Amino acid sequence: MKRAAIYLRVSTTDQHTSNQETELRQAAERAGWQVVRVYKDHGISGAKGRDKRPAFDALHRDAAKRQFDVVMAWNVDRLGRSLQDLVGFLSELHALKVDLFLHQQGLDTTTPAGKAMFQMLGVFAEFERAIIQERVRAGLRRAVSEGKQLGRPRIAADLERSISAALKARKETGDSVRKIAARFGIDPSTVQRISRPLDGAGVAA
């Protein structure tokens, strides 16, 4: 028997999830699935991210632990309003081999037709990732061609010299990278970068 998890969400606190839950439980019974957990987000918009939806976040974490075999929801918009977030969630389920049942859309990935739909969603997700990666690379190439400096901006030369002096004096002072960074009000990674040429010259990092 498959273990089912029901996810319910309403956007306002005066709305109720009882009707959705009843119909989903009936659908689970017809399919011969056992409902092992119900996740409810009350008064939370679907446009909110996972970190703002406690029950949805718990659903993700429990899916990763394989605590159920199929996720049931009343409608696709209960899961999210952003196509990017929705495709990401569906891809995560697919990777974990957790199925999805959407009542209003009639989608059931435990069936051959539903599995084919899931695979197509995976293709679209991969296509979207490829587009994003190419846009990032194109943006970097354009920035370089325009003479823009990539990465963190360099600090002033006199400040860099002061940090180098502090690094050279570490044998006497015993100062750590973090302590030197705090003294000059900069990020420890900047001190690490300045220390690398000095390391090659025999100064301890």
Side-chain angles (χ1 to χ4, degrees), residues 2-7 24 33 56 59 68-79 86-87 89-94 96-103 105-111 113-115 117-118 121:
K2 283 187 177 291
R3 299 164 300 162
I6 291 176
Y7 177 71
L24 289 172
W33 302 337
F56 193 55
L59 175 69
F68 41 77
D69 306 302
V70 56
V71 172
M72 304 182 72
W74 172 256
N75 197 318
V76 67
D77 66 7
R78 299 300 90 190
L79 300 174
L86 183 60
V87 169
F89 174 63
L90 297 179
S91 299
E92 183 178 338
L93 289 186
H94 191 247
L96 293 168
K97 293 182 169 39
V98 174
D99 285 303
L100 178 67
F101 175 87
L102 297 174
H103 188 278
Q105 281 72 37
L107 175 66
D108 179 0
T109 66
T110 65
T111 66
K115 285 187 186 300
M117 177 64 74
F118 228 8
L121 288 170

mmCIF file of all heavy atoms in Angstrom, residues 2-7 24 33 56 59 68-79 86-87 89-94 96-103 105-111 113-115 117-118 121:
data_model
loop_
_atom_site.group_PDB
_atom_site.id
_atom_site.type_symbol
_atom_site.label_atom_id
_atom_site.label_comp_id
_atom_site.label_asym_id
_atom_site.label_seq_id
_atom_site.Cartn_x
_atom_site.Cartn_y
_atom_site.Cartn_z
ATOM 1 N N LYS A 2 0.590 2.170 -0.925
ATOM 2 C CA LYS A 2 1.354 3.417 -0.988
ATOM 3 C C LYS A 2 0.989 4.330 0.173
ATOM 4 O O LYS A 2 -0.163 4.417 0.572
ATOM 5 C CB LYS A 2 1.086 4.145 -2.309
ATOM 6 C CG LYS A 2 1.815 3.559 -3.511
ATOM 7 C CD LYS A 2 1.634 4.440 -4.727
ATOM 8 C CE LYS A 2 2.413 3.900 -5.917
ATOM 9 N NZ LYS A 2 3.873 4.030 -5.722
ATOM 10 N N ARG A 3 2.005 5.025 0.703
ATOM 11 C CA ARG A 3 1.796 6.003 1.774
ATOM 12 C C ARG A 3 1.592 7.378 1.133
ATOM 13 O O ARG A 3 2.422 7.822 0.342
ATOM 14 C CB ARG A 3 2.999 6.038 2.713
ATOM 15 C CG ARG A 3 3.289 4.707 3.413
ATOM 16 C CD ARG A 3 4.695 4.711 3.988
ATOM 17 N NE ARG A 3 5.677 4.912 2.926
ATOM 18 C CZ ARG A 3 6.936 5.298 3.137
ATOM 19 N NH1 ARG A 3 7.365 5.524 4.364
ATOM 20 N NH2 ARG A 3 7.767 5.451 2.128
ATOM 21 N N ALA A 4 0.483 8.030 1.484
ATOM 22 C CA ALA A 4 0.153 9.316 0.873
ATOM 23 C C ALA A 4 0.278 10.456 1.886
ATOM 24 O O ALA A 4 -0.043 10.298 3.061
ATOM 25 C CB ALA A 4 -1.263 9.287 0.305
ATOM 26 N N ALA A 5 0.757 11.606 1.391
ATOM 27 C CA ALA A 5 0.810 12.828 2.184
ATOM 28 C C ALA A 5 -0.082 13.858 1.495
ATOM 29 O O ALA A 5 0.012 14.043 0.281
ATOM 30 C CB ALA A 5 2.237 13.349 2.290
ATOM 31 N N ILE A 6 -0.955 14.494 2.250
ATOM 32 C CA ILE A 6 -1.855 15.504 1.699
ATOM 33 C C ILE A 6 -1.317 16.888 2.039
ATOM 34 O O ILE A 6 -0.952 17.151 3.196
ATOM 35 C CB ILE A 6 -3.278 15.331 2.272
ATOM 36 C CG1 ILE A 6 -3.909 14.035 1.733
ATOM 37 C CG2 ILE A 6 -4.162 16.533 1.934
ATOM 38 C CD1 ILE A 6 -5.285 13.731 2.327
ATOM 39 N N TYR A 7 -1.245 17.758 1.027
ATOM 40 C CA TYR A 7 -0.861 19.153 1.282
ATOM 41 C C TYR A 7 -2.050 20.053 1.012
ATOM 42 O O TYR A 7 -2.654 20.015 -0.058
ATOM 43 C CB TYR A 7 0.319 19.589 0.410
ATOM 44 C CG TYR A 7 0.661 21.043 0.639
ATOM 45 C CD1 TYR A 7 1.249 21.461 1.825
ATOM 46 C CD2 TYR A 7 0.332 22.016 -0.311
ATOM 47 C CE1 TYR A 7 1.515 22.800 2.066
ATOM 48 C CE2 TYR A 7 0.598 23.358 -0.083
ATOM 49 C CZ TYR A 7 1.197 23.744 1.113
ATOM 50 O OH TYR A 7 1.452 25.069 1.351
ATOM 51 N N LEU A 24 -9.757 14.620 -0.961
ATOM 52 C CA LEU A 24 -8.461 13.974 -1.184
ATOM 53 C C LEU A 24 -8.374 12.659 -0.412
ATOM 54 O O LEU A 24 -7.798 11.681 -0.910
ATOM 55 C CB LEU A 24 -7.324 14.918 -0.783
ATOM 56 C CG LEU A 24 -7.112 16.112 -1.723
ATOM 57 C CD1 LEU A 24 -6.109 17.095 -1.138
ATOM 58 C CD2 LEU A 24 -6.642 15.647 -3.104
ATOM 59 N N TRP A 33 -4.594 3.919 -1.159
ATOM 60 C CA TRP A 33 -3.430 4.518 -0.506
ATOM 61 C C TRP A 33 -3.754 4.812 0.953
ATOM 62 O O TRP A 33 -4.895 5.123 1.305
ATOM 63 C CB TRP A 33 -3.019 5.831 -1.183
ATOM 64 C CG TRP A 33 -2.695 5.702 -2.638
ATOM 65 C CD1 TRP A 33 -2.309 4.589 -3.311
ATOM 66 C CD2 TRP A 33 -2.760 6.750 -3.619
ATOM 67 N NE1 TRP A 33 -2.111 4.853 -4.637
ATOM 68 C CE2 TRP A 33 -2.371 6.177 -4.861
ATOM 69 C CE3 TRP A 33 -3.083 8.099 -3.577
ATOM 70 C CZ2 TRP A 33 -2.324 6.913 -6.035
ATOM 71 C CZ3 TRP A 33 -3.028 8.847 -4.739
ATOM 72 C CH2 TRP A 33 -2.651 8.258 -5.956
ATOM 73 N N PHE A 56 4.673 23.512 4.026
ATOM 74 C CA PHE A 56 5.260 23.150 2.730
ATOM 75 C C PHE A 56 6.740 22.808 2.895
ATOM 76 O O PHE A 56 7.251 21.874 2.269
ATOM 77 C CB PHE A 56 5.078 24.305 1.750
ATOM 78 C CG PHE A 56 5.352 23.952 0.314
ATOM 79 C CD1 PHE A 56 4.684 22.904 -0.300
ATOM 80 C CD2 PHE A 56 6.273 24.669 -0.435
ATOM 81 C CE1 PHE A 56 4.925 22.570 -1.629
ATOM 82 C CE2 PHE A 56 6.530 24.343 -1.758
ATOM 83 C CZ PHE A 56 5.856 23.301 -2.353
ATOM 84 N N LEU A 59 6.941 19.425 4.340
ATOM 85 C CA LEU A 59 6.651 18.453 3.281
ATOM 86 C C LEU A 59 7.919 18.133 2.484
ATOM 87 O O LEU A 59 8.217 16.971 2.203
ATOM 88 C CB LEU A 59 5.570 19.008 2.359
ATOM 89 C CG LEU A 59 5.213 18.175 1.117
ATOM 90 C CD1 LEU A 59 4.505 16.899 1.515
ATOM 91 C CD2 LEU A 59 4.339 18.977 0.159
ATOM 92 N N PHE A 68 6.865 9.181 2.723
ATOM 93 C CA PHE A 68 5.643 8.865 1.991
ATOM 94 C C PHE A 68 6.010 8.597 0.538
ATOM 95 O O PHE A 68 7.135 8.880 0.105
ATOM 96 C CB PHE A 68 4.606 9.997 2.096
ATOM 97 C CG PHE A 68 5.196 11.375 1.982
ATOM 98 C CD1 PHE A 68 5.569 11.902 0.758
ATOM 99 C CD2 PHE A 68 5.392 12.142 3.111
ATOM 100 C CE1 PHE A 68 6.115 13.165 0.642
ATOM 101 C CE2 PHE A 68 5.936 13.414 3.020
ATOM 102 C CZ PHE A 68 6.304 13.923 1.786
ATOM 103 N N ASP A 69 5.052 8.055 -0.209
ATOM 104 C CA ASP A 69 5.306 7.649 -1.600
ATOM 105 C C ASP A 69 4.618 8.555 -2.622
ATOM 106 O O ASP A 69 4.990 8.542 -3.793
ATOM 107 C CB ASP A 69 4.825 6.205 -1.815
ATOM 108 C CG ASP A 69 5.424 5.250 -0.811
ATOM 109 O OD1 ASP A 69 6.663 5.171 -0.747
ATOM 110 O OD2 ASP A 69 4.653 4.606 -0.066
ATOM 111 N N VAL A 70 3.598 9.283 -2.180
ATOM 112 C CA VAL A 70 2.864 10.142 -3.106
ATOM 113 C C VAL A 70 2.375 11.390 -2.366
ATOM 114 O O VAL A 70 1.962 11.307 -1.206
ATOM 115 C CB VAL A 70 1.664 9.389 -3.761
ATOM 116 C CG1 VAL A 70 0.739 8.813 -2.715
ATOM 117 C CG2 VAL A 70 0.905 10.295 -4.728
ATOM 118 N N VAL A 71 2.481 12.551 -3.033
ATOM 119 C CA VAL A 71 1.963 13.811 -2.493
ATOM 120 C C VAL A 71 0.635 14.109 -3.178
ATOM 121 O O VAL A 71 0.550 14.082 -4.411
ATOM 122 C CB VAL A 71 2.953 14.969 -2.733
ATOM 123 C CG1 VAL A 71 2.317 16.313 -2.349
ATOM 124 C CG2 VAL A 71 4.233 14.757 -1.942
ATOM 125 N N MET A 72 -0.384 14.425 -2.379
ATOM 126 C CA MET A 72 -1.703 14.736 -2.924
ATOM 127 C C MET A 72 -2.035 16.204 -2.647
ATOM 128 O O MET A 72 -1.829 16.697 -1.534
ATOM 129 C CB MET A 72 -2.779 13.844 -2.281
ATOM 130 C CG MET A 72 -2.514 12.352 -2.410
ATOM 131 S SD MET A 72 -3.858 11.372 -1.668
ATOM 132 C CE MET A 72 -5.183 11.626 -2.879
ATOM 133 N N ALA A 73 -2.537 16.900 -3.655
ATOM 134 C CA ALA A 73 -2.969 18.290 -3.492
ATOM 135 C C ALA A 73 -4.255 18.500 -4.287
ATOM 136 O O ALA A 73 -4.493 17.827 -5.293
ATOM 137 C CB ALA A 73 -1.884 19.265 -3.961
ATOM 138 N N TRP A 74 -5.069 19.449 -3.819
ATOM 139 C CA TRP A 74 -6.349 19.713 -4.467
ATOM 140 C C TRP A 74 -6.159 20.295 -5.862
ATOM 141 O O TRP A 74 -6.819 19.905 -6.816
ATOM 142 C CB TRP A 74 -7.154 20.672 -3.598
ATOM 143 C CG TRP A 74 -8.416 21.178 -4.227
ATOM 144 C CD1 TRP A 74 -8.638 22.405 -4.768
ATOM 145 C CD2 TRP A 74 -9.635 20.453 -4.383
ATOM 146 N NE1 TRP A 74 -9.915 22.495 -5.248
ATOM 147 C CE2 TRP A 74 -10.559 21.308 -5.023
ATOM 148 C CE3 TRP A 74 -10.049 19.169 -4.030
ATOM 149 C CZ2 TRP A 74 -11.861 20.926 -5.322
ATOM 150 C CZ3 TRP A 74 -11.346 18.780 -4.335
ATOM 151 C CH2 TRP A 74 -12.232 19.653 -4.973
ATOM 152 N N ASN A 75 -5.206 21.228 -5.971
ATOM 153 C CA ASN A 75 -5.005 21.944 -7.223
ATOM 154 C C ASN A 75 -3.526 22.297 -7.344
ATOM 155 O O ASN A 75 -2.840 22.459 -6.344
ATOM 156 C CB ASN A 75 -5.854 23.220 -7.227
ATOM 157 C CG ASN A 75 -6.036 23.808 -8.615
ATOM 158 O OD1 ASN A 75 -5.103 23.858 -9.399
ATOM 159 N ND2 ASN A 75 -7.242 24.265 -8.919
ATOM 160 N N VAL A 76 -3.047 22.438 -8.560
ATOM 161 C CA VAL A 76 -1.649 22.770 -8.762
ATOM 162 C C VAL A 76 -1.280 24.102 -8.114
ATOM 163 O O VAL A 76 -0.155 24.280 -7.629
ATOM 164 C CB VAL A 76 -1.292 22.772 -10.274
ATOM 165 C CG1 VAL A 76 -1.994 23.907 -10.991
ATOM 166 C CG2 VAL A 76 0.202 22.841 -10.486
ATOM 167 N N ASP A 77 -2.244 25.056 -8.053
ATOM 168 C CA ASP A 77 -1.915 26.361 -7.468
ATOM 169 C C ASP A 77 -1.806 26.309 -5.949
ATOM 170 O O ASP A 77 -1.392 27.279 -5.317
ATOM 171 C CB ASP A 77 -2.907 27.442 -7.906
ATOM 172 C CG ASP A 77 -4.320 27.220 -7.378
ATOM 173 O OD1 ASP A 77 -4.527 26.298 -6.563
ATOM 174 O OD2 ASP A 77 -5.223 27.982 -7.788
ATOM 175 N N ARG A 78 -2.185 25.175 -5.339
ATOM 176 C CA ARG A 78 -1.962 25.019 -3.900
ATOM 177 C C ARG A 78 -0.466 24.863 -3.615
ATOM 178 O O ARG A 78 0.010 25.211 -2.533
ATOM 179 C CB ARG A 78 -2.697 23.790 -3.349
ATOM 180 C CG ARG A 78 -4.201 23.786 -3.495
ATOM 181 C CD ARG A 78 -4.860 24.953 -2.801
ATOM 182 N NE ARG A 78 -4.992 26.116 -3.681
ATOM 183 C CZ ARG A 78 -5.351 27.319 -3.277
ATOM 184 N NH1 ARG A 78 -5.618 27.548 -2.006
ATOM 185 N NH2 ARG A 78 -5.457 28.319 -4.131
ATOM 186 N N LEU A 79 0.257 24.329 -4.590
ATOM 187 C CA LEU A 79 1.691 24.086 -4.414
ATOM 188 C C LEU A 79 2.503 25.351 -4.621
ATOM 189 O O LEU A 79 3.547 25.535 -3.990
ATOM 190 C CB LEU A 79 2.160 23.000 -5.386
ATOM 191 C CG LEU A 79 1.477 21.635 -5.229
ATOM 192 C CD1 LEU A 79 1.927 20.686 -6.332
ATOM 193 C CD2 LEU A 79 1.782 21.028 -3.863
ATOM 194 N N LEU A 86 7.424 25.934 -8.924
ATOM 195 C CA LEU A 86 6.602 24.739 -9.119
ATOM 196 C C LEU A 86 7.376 23.654 -9.851
ATOM 197 O O LEU A 86 7.395 22.490 -9.430
ATOM 198 C CB LEU A 86 5.341 25.105 -9.905
ATOM 199 C CG LEU A 86 4.337 23.971 -10.140
ATOM 200 C CD1 LEU A 86 3.837 23.430 -8.815
ATOM 201 C CD2 LEU A 86 3.173 24.478 -10.990
ATOM 202 N N VAL A 87 8.053 24.035 -10.932
ATOM 203 C CA VAL A 87 8.849 23.061 -11.688
ATOM 204 C C VAL A 87 9.968 22.501 -10.815
ATOM 205 O O VAL A 87 10.283 21.310 -10.854
ATOM 206 C CB VAL A 87 9.421 23.700 -12.973
ATOM 207 C CG1 VAL A 87 10.449 22.794 -13.625
ATOM 208 C CG2 VAL A 87 8.295 23.986 -13.964
ATOM 209 N N PHE A 89 9.880 22.101 -7.538
ATOM 210 C CA PHE A 89 9.277 21.163 -6.597
ATOM 211 C C PHE A 89 8.963 19.831 -7.281
ATOM 212 O O PHE A 89 9.255 18.755 -6.738
ATOM 213 C CB PHE A 89 8.000 21.761 -6.008
ATOM 214 C CG PHE A 89 7.226 20.818 -5.129
ATOM 215 C CD1 PHE A 89 7.775 20.324 -3.956
ATOM 216 C CD2 PHE A 89 5.947 20.409 -5.484
ATOM 217 C CE1 PHE A 89 7.061 19.445 -3.141
ATOM 218 C CE2 PHE A 89 5.228 19.537 -4.682
ATOM 219 C CZ PHE A 89 5.789 19.056 -3.508
ATOM 220 N N LEU A 90 8.389 19.903 -8.456
ATOM 221 C CA LEU A 90 8.055 18.679 -9.188
ATOM 222 C C LEU A 90 9.318 17.896 -9.544
ATOM 223 O O LEU A 90 9.338 16.666 -9.478
ATOM 224 C CB LEU A 90 7.266 19.026 -10.457
ATOM 225 C CG LEU A 90 5.908 19.707 -10.242
ATOM 226 C CD1 LEU A 90 5.242 20.010 -11.564
ATOM 227 C CD2 LEU A 90 5.002 18.856 -9.376
ATOM 228 N N SER A 91 10.382 18.598 -9.906
ATOM 229 C CA SER A 91 11.646 17.938 -10.229
ATOM 230 C C SER A 91 12.224 17.248 -8.997
ATOM 231 O O SER A 91 12.786 16.156 -9.093
ATOM 232 C CB SER A 91 12.659 18.948 -10.773
ATOM 233 O OG SER A 91 12.180 19.533 -11.960
ATOM 234 N N GLU A 92 12.071 17.912 -7.845
ATOM 235 C CA GLU A 92 12.566 17.322 -6.594
ATOM 236 C C GLU A 92 11.823 16.033 -6.280
ATOM 237 O O GLU A 92 12.434 15.025 -5.918
ATOM 238 C CB GLU A 92 12.395 18.322 -5.450
ATOM 239 C CG GLU A 92 12.944 17.838 -4.122
ATOM 240 C CD GLU A 92 12.800 18.857 -3.011
ATOM 241 O OE1 GLU A 92 12.663 20.056 -3.310
ATOM 242 O OE2 GLU A 92 12.824 18.450 -1.831
ATOM 243 N N LEU A 93 10.507 16.051 -6.431
ATOM 244 C CA LEU A 93 9.716 14.839 -6.197
ATOM 245 C C LEU A 93 10.143 13.730 -7.143
ATOM 246 O O LEU A 93 10.303 12.564 -6.743
ATOM 247 C CB LEU A 93 8.224 15.122 -6.382
ATOM 248 C CG LEU A 93 7.508 15.977 -5.334
ATOM 249 C CD1 LEU A 93 6.021 16.012 -5.632
ATOM 250 C CD2 LEU A 93 7.750 15.451 -3.929
ATOM 251 N N HIS A 94 10.328 14.104 -8.405
ATOM 252 C CA HIS A 94 10.711 13.120 -9.419
ATOM 253 C C HIS A 94 12.043 12.469 -9.067
ATOM 254 O O HIS A 94 12.209 11.250 -9.183
ATOM 255 C CB HIS A 94 10.785 13.801 -10.788
ATOM 256 C CG HIS A 94 10.925 12.846 -11.925
ATOM 257 N ND1 HIS A 94 12.057 12.765 -12.697
ATOM 258 C CD2 HIS A 94 10.087 11.904 -12.420
ATOM 259 C CE1 HIS A 94 11.905 11.822 -13.616
ATOM 260 N NE2 HIS A 94 10.714 11.296 -13.477
ATOM 261 N N LEU A 96 13.309 12.104 -6.150
ATOM 262 C CA LEU A 96 13.149 11.278 -4.947
ATOM 263 C C LEU A 96 12.257 10.064 -5.198
ATOM 264 O O LEU A 96 12.034 9.266 -4.292
ATOM 265 C CB LEU A 96 12.536 12.126 -3.821
ATOM 266 C CG LEU A 96 13.416 13.262 -3.274
ATOM 267 C CD1 LEU A 96 12.595 14.193 -2.399
ATOM 268 C CD2 LEU A 96 14.597 12.684 -2.495
ATOM 269 N N LYS A 97 11.737 9.962 -6.439
ATOM 270 C CA LYS A 97 10.815 8.882 -6.805
ATOM 271 C C LYS A 97 9.542 8.924 -5.947
ATOM 272 O O LYS A 97 8.999 7.887 -5.548
ATOM 273 C CB LYS A 97 11.502 7.516 -6.707
ATOM 274 C CG LYS A 97 12.600 7.339 -7.740
ATOM 275 C CD LYS A 97 13.229 5.966 -7.649
ATOM 276 C CE LYS A 97 14.139 5.668 -8.834
ATOM 277 N NZ LYS A 97 14.956 6.778 -9.319
ATOM 278 N N VAL A 98 9.099 10.161 -5.660
ATOM 279 C CA VAL A 98 7.825 10.371 -4.963
ATOM 280 C C VAL A 98 6.812 10.821 -6.006
ATOM 281 O O VAL A 98 7.090 11.722 -6.802
ATOM 282 C CB VAL A 98 7.969 11.440 -3.857
ATOM 283 C CG1 VAL A 98 6.603 11.758 -3.243
ATOM 284 C CG2 VAL A 98 8.940 10.971 -2.785
ATOM 285 N N ASP A 99 5.642 10.190 -6.015
ATOM 286 C CA ASP A 99 4.623 10.510 -7.016
ATOM 287 C C ASP A 99 3.782 11.719 -6.597
ATOM 288 O O ASP A 99 3.858 12.185 -5.451
ATOM 289 C CB ASP A 99 3.714 9.298 -7.249
ATOM 290 C CG ASP A 99 4.396 8.231 -8.083
ATOM 291 O OD1 ASP A 99 4.822 8.563 -9.203
ATOM 292 O OD2 ASP A 99 4.514 7.077 -7.616
ATOM 293 N N LEU A 100 2.988 12.210 -7.544
ATOM 294 C CA LEU A 100 2.155 13.388 -7.314
ATOM 295 C C LEU A 100 0.747 13.133 -7.832
ATOM 296 O O LEU A 100 0.565 12.604 -8.928
ATOM 297 C CB LEU A 100 2.757 14.610 -8.033
ATOM 298 C CG LEU A 100 1.975 15.915 -7.923
ATOM 299 C CD1 LEU A 100 1.981 16.431 -6.489
ATOM 300 C CD2 LEU A 100 2.560 16.964 -8.873
ATOM 301 N N PHE A 101 -0.241 13.541 -7.021
ATOM 302 C CA PHE A 101 -1.647 13.451 -7.418
ATOM 303 C C PHE A 101 -2.263 14.837 -7.280
ATOM 304 O O PHE A 101 -2.250 15.430 -6.196
ATOM 305 C CB PHE A 101 -2.398 12.462 -6.517
ATOM 306 C CG PHE A 101 -3.881 12.400 -6.785
ATOM 307 C CD1 PHE A 101 -4.396 11.541 -7.752
ATOM 308 C CD2 PHE A 101 -4.774 13.214 -6.071
ATOM 309 C CE1 PHE A 101 -5.768 11.496 -8.001
ATOM 310 C CE2 PHE A 101 -6.137 13.166 -6.317
ATOM 311 C CZ PHE A 101 -6.627 12.305 -7.285
ATOM 312 N N LEU A 102 -2.778 15.389 -8.383
ATOM 313 C CA LEU A 102 -3.456 16.682 -8.382
ATOM 314 C C LEU A 102 -4.921 16.461 -8.746
ATOM 315 O O LEU A 102 -5.222 16.075 -9.883
ATOM 316 C CB LEU A 102 -2.793 17.644 -9.370
ATOM 317 C CG LEU A 102 -1.333 18.026 -9.075
ATOM 318 C CD1 LEU A 102 -0.766 18.875 -10.210
ATOM 319 C CD2 LEU A 102 -1.226 18.769 -7.751
ATOM 320 N N HIS A 103 -5.814 16.690 -7.804
ATOM 321 C CA HIS A 103 -7.231 16.354 -7.969
ATOM 322 C C HIS A 103 -7.881 17.095 -9.126
ATOM 323 O O HIS A 103 -8.502 16.487 -10.003
ATOM 324 C CB HIS A 103 -7.968 16.663 -6.661
ATOM 325 C CG HIS A 103 -9.380 16.186 -6.640
ATOM 326 N ND1 HIS A 103 -10.416 16.895 -7.210
ATOM 327 C CD2 HIS A 103 -9.940 15.055 -6.126
ATOM 328 C CE1 HIS A 103 -11.550 16.229 -7.042
ATOM 329 N NE2 HIS A 103 -11.290 15.110 -6.384
ATOM 330 N N GLN A 105 -6.592 18.777 -11.677
ATOM 331 C CA GLN A 105 -5.976 18.580 -12.996
ATOM 332 C C GLN A 105 -6.061 17.126 -13.465
ATOM 333 O O GLN A 105 -5.722 16.821 -14.604
ATOM 334 C CB GLN A 105 -4.504 19.013 -12.966
ATOM 335 C CG GLN A 105 -4.288 20.516 -13.049
ATOM 336 C CD GLN A 105 -4.686 21.222 -11.758
ATOM 337 O OE1 GLN A 105 -4.482 20.690 -10.667
ATOM 338 N NE2 GLN A 105 -5.236 22.413 -11.877
ATOM 339 N N GLY A 106 -6.478 16.228 -12.573
ATOM 340 C CA GLY A 106 -6.556 14.820 -12.937
ATOM 341 C C GLY A 106 -5.179 14.211 -13.200
ATOM 342 O O GLY A 106 -5.051 13.263 -13.976
ATOM 343 N N LEU A 107 -4.153 14.760 -12.563
ATOM 344 C CA LEU A 107 -2.792 14.247 -12.766
ATOM 345 C C LEU A 107 -2.457 13.235 -11.681
ATOM 346 O O LEU A 107 -2.570 13.526 -10.486
ATOM 347 C CB LEU A 107 -1.785 15.408 -12.718
ATOM 348 C CG LEU A 107 -0.308 15.009 -12.808
ATOM 349 C CD1 LEU A 107 0.007 14.401 -14.172
ATOM 350 C CD2 LEU A 107 0.589 16.207 -12.543
ATOM 351 N N ASP A 108 -2.055 12.058 -12.089
ATOM 352 C CA ASP A 108 -1.670 10.997 -11.154
ATOM 353 C C ASP A 108 -0.433 10.309 -11.717
ATOM 354 O O ASP A 108 -0.519 9.545 -12.679
ATOM 355 C CB ASP A 108 -2.824 10.004 -10.993
ATOM 356 C CG ASP A 108 -2.477 8.857 -10.052
ATOM 357 O OD1 ASP A 108 -1.344 8.825 -9.529
ATOM 358 O OD2 ASP A 108 -3.345 7.985 -9.856
ATOM 359 N N THR A 109 0.721 10.598 -11.152
ATOM 360 C CA THR A 109 1.962 10.062 -11.721
ATOM 361 C C THR A 109 2.225 8.611 -11.341
ATOM 362 O O THR A 109 3.256 8.062 -11.700
ATOM 363 C CB THR A 109 3.180 10.925 -11.310
ATOM 364 O OG1 THR A 109 3.385 10.828 -9.898
ATOM 365 C CG2 THR A 109 2.972 12.378 -11.700
ATOM 366 N N THR A 110 1.275 7.995 -10.638
ATOM 367 C CA THR A 110 1.404 6.549 -10.411
ATOM 368 C C THR A 110 0.918 5.779 -11.635
ATOM 369 O O THR A 110 1.116 4.574 -11.725
ATOM 370 C CB THR A 110 0.592 6.101 -9.166
ATOM 371 O OG1 THR A 110 -0.797 6.303 -9.412
ATOM 372 C CG2 THR A 110 1.013 6.862 -7.927
ATOM 373 N N THR A 111 0.271 6.491 -12.577
ATOM 374 C CA THR A 111 -0.210 5.857 -13.809
ATOM 375 C C THR A 111 0.799 6.098 -14.938
ATOM 376 O O THR A 111 1.595 7.041 -14.872
ATOM 377 C CB THR A 111 -1.569 6.452 -14.233
ATOM 378 O OG1 THR A 111 -1.376 7.833 -14.603
ATOM 379 C CG2 THR A 111 -2.572 6.377 -13.095
ATOM 380 N N ALA A 113 0.389 7.384 -17.930
ATOM 381 C CA ALA A 113 0.215 8.712 -18.522
ATOM 382 C C ALA A 113 0.779 9.792 -17.611
ATOM 383 O O ALA A 113 1.423 10.748 -18.055
ATOM 384 C CB ALA A 113 -1.267 8.977 -18.791
ATOM 385 N N GLY A 114 0.550 9.637 -16.304
ATOM 386 C CA GLY A 114 1.057 10.610 -15.349
ATOM 387 C C GLY A 114 2.573 10.599 -15.281
ATOM 388 O O GLY A 114 3.210 11.644 -15.163
ATOM 389 N N LYS A 115 3.170 9.395 -15.368
ATOM 390 C CA LYS A 115 4.636 9.290 -15.362
ATOM 391 C C LYS A 115 5.232 9.991 -16.582
ATOM 392 O O LYS A 115 6.267 10.648 -16.487
ATOM 393 C CB LYS A 115 5.055 7.819 -15.333
ATOM 394 C CG LYS A 115 4.874 7.150 -13.979
ATOM 395 C CD LYS A 115 5.467 5.762 -13.972
ATOM 396 C CE LYS A 115 5.146 5.043 -12.670
ATOM 397 N NZ LYS A 115 5.685 5.741 -11.498
ATOM 398 N N MET A 117 3.978 12.551 -18.126
ATOM 399 C CA MET A 117 3.885 13.980 -17.863
ATOM 400 C C MET A 117 5.015 14.432 -16.936
ATOM 401 O O MET A 117 5.637 15.473 -17.143
ATOM 402 C CB MET A 117 2.530 14.310 -17.230
ATOM 403 C CG MET A 117 2.361 15.773 -16.845
ATOM 404 S SD MET A 117 2.387 16.885 -18.266
ATOM 405 C CE MET A 117 0.770 16.552 -18.964
ATOM 406 N N PHE A 118 5.297 13.621 -15.918
ATOM 407 C CA PHE A 118 6.366 13.925 -14.972
ATOM 408 C C PHE A 118 7.714 14.017 -15.696
ATOM 409 O O PHE A 118 8.524 14.895 -15.441
ATOM 410 C CB PHE A 118 6.424 12.822 -13.914
ATOM 411 C CG PHE A 118 6.478 13.344 -12.510
ATOM 412 C CD1 PHE A 118 6.314 14.694 -12.231
ATOM 413 C CD2 PHE A 118 6.683 12.474 -11.455
ATOM 414 C CE1 PHE A 118 6.351 15.166 -10.918
ATOM 415 C CE2 PHE A 118 6.733 12.935 -10.150
ATOM 416 C CZ PHE A 118 6.558 14.283 -9.885
ATOM 417 N N LEU A 121 7.999 17.202 -17.569
ATOM 418 C CA LEU A 121 8.298 18.313 -16.664
ATOM 419 C C LEU A 121 9.788 18.345 -16.338
ATOM 420 O O LEU A 121 10.394 19.403 -16.220
ATOM 421 C CB LEU A 121 7.483 18.179 -15.373
ATOM 422 C CG LEU A 121 5.984 18.465 -15.502
ATOM 423 C CD1 LEU A 121 5.254 18.065 -14.230
ATOM 424 C CD2 LEU A 121 5.741 19.941 -15.801
#
